[in-house]
């Protein structure tokens, strides 16, 4: 016998938000193409981390974005003052990665070897020293970045938490604009409009963890991952949910691939509710798979969730403030968030 599933009506108030029918807008595209990766995670201790500094005066701080191969959100990045290159912003990646072909073209000096761990396998890789990486009006200086062939990245590089930490990323799905700006001030971070929700997080080194997360009533640790097309749970979360229900509908299987290569097969399970603080998403398809990232973060035996783009796109915009350790979601309607001018739409 299947479990009974609720048919709740949307309830709108300043304190409670309900988003319905996520499966209708997200399931079919994600089943057709699931490309979920846990980015480079563990790097040798000899690798130098970036120092942050303001860029030259006059930078706008707004990152102009567009779709590249695979529909990834990318932004223009200057390395040592050269070009713009197209890097994907990945809030699930701990390290910034550059395509080996770009590193060779720019004659970047070699750094120490590193072990790059992805969702399926680990690969040893070279690193290169970047003197200056500019993103809008922000700069990161003098750090080592791992390299991978561009055919594996599908973009010129990946911007990870080592560059994004302390800053604010805004994904505006209504205007198709991606913005990287400074962290909000204290009062601005506290203020929300009637159709916005703020969710405090915990964590360090940019790895923000939502502690007030429940999947069908089961509490889980949740992380926002803009590099993942699909939301992924570990087996521990699925097992705890099964204990609460007679059955959970498995509606398909997908093959997940990572930038380090290899594949992993996951089951697509339809969950009744996904709650993040005061937000509730209903009929939420989630891939269940024990990815390496859960092991790397010490979450193999604890219910955990990577919140991917299929959930994030249910909102008008999503703000991730690493300086304030704060998430903001705009549920529907209204103007773009502060610090999000429209410059160039995603094609």
């Amino acid at each position: 016998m299947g479990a009974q599933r609720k048919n709740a009506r949307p309830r709108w108030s300043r304190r409670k938000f309900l988003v319905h029918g996520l499966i209708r807008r997200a399931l079919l595209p994600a089943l057709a193409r699931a490309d979920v990766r846990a980015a480079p995670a563990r790097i040798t201790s000899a690798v130098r981390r970036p120092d942050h500094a303001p860029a030259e005066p006059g930078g706008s701080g707004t990152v102009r974005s567009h779709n590249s191969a695979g529909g990834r959100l990318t932004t223009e990045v200057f390395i040592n003052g050269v070009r713009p290159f197209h890097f994907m912003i990945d809030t699930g990646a701990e390290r910034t990665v550059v395509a080996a072909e770009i590193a060779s073209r720019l004659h970047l000096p070699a750094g120490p070897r590193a072990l790059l761990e992805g969702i399926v396998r680990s690969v040893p890789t070279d690193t290169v020293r970047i003197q200056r990486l500019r993103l809008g009006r922000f700069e990161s200086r003098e750090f080592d970045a791992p390299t991978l062939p561009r055919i594996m990245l599908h973009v010129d590089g990946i911007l990870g938490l080592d560059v994004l930490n302390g800053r604010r990323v805004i994904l505006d799905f209504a205007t198709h604009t991606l913005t990287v700006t400074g962290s909000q001030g204290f009062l601005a971070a506290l203020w929300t409009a009637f159709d916005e929700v703020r969710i405090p997080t915990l964590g360090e080194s940019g790895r923000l963890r939502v502690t007030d997360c429940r999947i069908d009533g089961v509490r889980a640790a949740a992380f926002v991952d803009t590099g993942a097309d699909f939301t992924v749970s570990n087996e521990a979360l699925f097992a705890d949910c099964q204990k609460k229900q007679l059955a959970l509908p498995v509606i398909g299987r997908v093959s997940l691939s990572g930038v380090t290569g290899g594949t992993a097969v996951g089951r697509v399970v339809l969950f009744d509710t996904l709650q993040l603080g005061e937000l509730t998403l209903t009929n939420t398809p989630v891939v269940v798979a024990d990815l390496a990232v859960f092991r790397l973060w010490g979450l193999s035996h604890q219910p955990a969730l990577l919140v991917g783009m299929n959930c994030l796109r249910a909102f008008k915009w999503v703000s991730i403030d690493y300086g304030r350790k704060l998430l903001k979601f705009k549920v529907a309607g209204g103007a773009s968030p502060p610090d999000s001018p429209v410059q160039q739409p995603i094609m």
Side-chain angles (χ1 to χ4, degrees):
M1 178 182 295
Q4 294 293 322
R5 309 191 68 78
K6 299 186 287 291
N7 291 314
R9 298 177 57 191
R11 300 187 302 275
W12 291 91
S13 73
R14 184 174 176 82
R15 308 308 305 164
K16 185 79 172 180
F17 297 89
L18 191 66
V19 180
H20 277 270
L22 187 64
I23 184 172
R24 291 193 298 271
R25 71 175 71 190
L27 178 58
L28 293 180
L31 283 174
R33 177 183 51 83
D35 183 17
V36 184
R37 37 101 294 338
R42 186 170 299 168
I43 306 296
T44 55
S45 59
V47 172
R48 182 166 178 172
R49 306 298 174 93
D51 297 321
H52 295 329
E56 296 85 349
S60 69
T62 296
V63 178
R64 295 184 297 175
S65 310
H66 61 278
N67 276 343
S68 68
R72 292 172 173 83
L73 286 173
T74 63
T75 184
E76 294 182 348
V77 169
F78 291 81
I79 298 177
N80 297 345
V82 179
R83 296 192 61 160
F85 298 100
H86 296 293
F87 276 50
M88 179 177 73
I89 286 187
D90 187 349
T91 61
E94 292 189 8
R95 307 299 304 163
T96 293
V97 182
V98 62
E101 294 85 346
I102 302 299
S104 176
R105 185 188 312 168
L106 298 179
H107 304 289
L108 300 179
R113 293 279 289 176
L115 182 66
L116 212 54
E117 299 198 22
I119 63 167
V120 178
R121 66 180 185 182
S122 303
V123 294
T125 184
D126 296 324
T127 68
V128 292
R129 174 61 55 87
I130 295 179
Q131 294 179 323
R132 188 161 55 102
L133 184 148
R134 181 164 65 86
L135 172 68
R137 67 181 177 91
F138 300 106
E139 280 189 358
S140 297
R141 298 177 179 173
E142 297 294 341
F143 67 101
D144 297 321
T147 64
L148 284 175
R150 195 182 189 284
I151 193 172
M152 299 177 71
L153 298 175
H154 305 292
V155 288
D156 295 331
I158 294 174
L159 289 175
L161 298 178
D162 53 347
V163 168
L164 301 176
N165 191 27
R167 293 161 183 165
R168 184 183 180 210
V169 176
I170 304 168
L171 303 168
D172 192 326
F173 299 109
T175 60
H176 307 286
T177 304
L178 173 65
T179 302
V180 177
T181 187
S183 181
Q184 284 191 306
F186 176 74
L187 293 179
L190 288 177
W191 184 86
T192 56
F194 77 96
D195 55 355
E196 297 172 14
V197 176
R198 64 189 304 274
I199 302 177
T201 66
L202 300 175
E204 57 186 15
S205 300
R207 192 190 301 166
L208 302 184
R209 171 174 175 162
V210 179
T211 56
D212 188 10
C213 171
R214 290 177 174 82
I215 306 293
D216 284 2
V218 175
R219 183 179 291 274
F223 303 86
V224 172
D225 187 355
T226 61
D229 289 334
F230 215 69
T231 298
V232 182
S233 87
N234 63 359
E235 291 286 354
L237 174 55
F238 180 66
D240 282 0
C241 288
Q242 281 188 309
K243 295 175 184 177
K244 284 182 168 286
Q245 301 189 51
L246 294 177
L248 285 169
V250 177
I251 55 178
R253 294 180 182 272
V254 293
S255 179
L256 309 178
S257 62
V259 296
T260 57
T263 59
V265 177
R267 293 162 290 167
V268 182
V269 177
L270 186 60
F271 288 93
D272 195 10
T273 59
L274 190 166
Q275 294 176 283
L276 295 172
E278 295 172 344
L279 288 173
T280 299
L281 288 80
T282 65
N283 297 326
T284 307
V286 175
V287 175
V288 178
D290 264 335
L291 303 181
V293 66
F294 295 123
R295 173 179 55 82
L296 293 171
W297 292 358
L299 296 170
S300 294
H301 305 293
Q302 175 185 346
L305 187 77
L306 297 179
V307 181
M309 294 294 284
N310 69 312
C311 284
L312 300 181
R313 289 184 185 277
F315 303 95
K316 183 177 184 294
W317 55 255
V318 177
S319 166
I320 308 168
D321 194 329
Y322 293 98
R324 290 291 172 189
K325 297 184 178 181
L326 180 68
L327 303 178
K328 285 187 178 182
F329 297 82
K330 191 173 190 68
V331 178
S336 297
D339 304 323
S340 183
V342 179
Q343 291 199 4
Q344 178 176 315
I346 300 171
M347 303 304 293

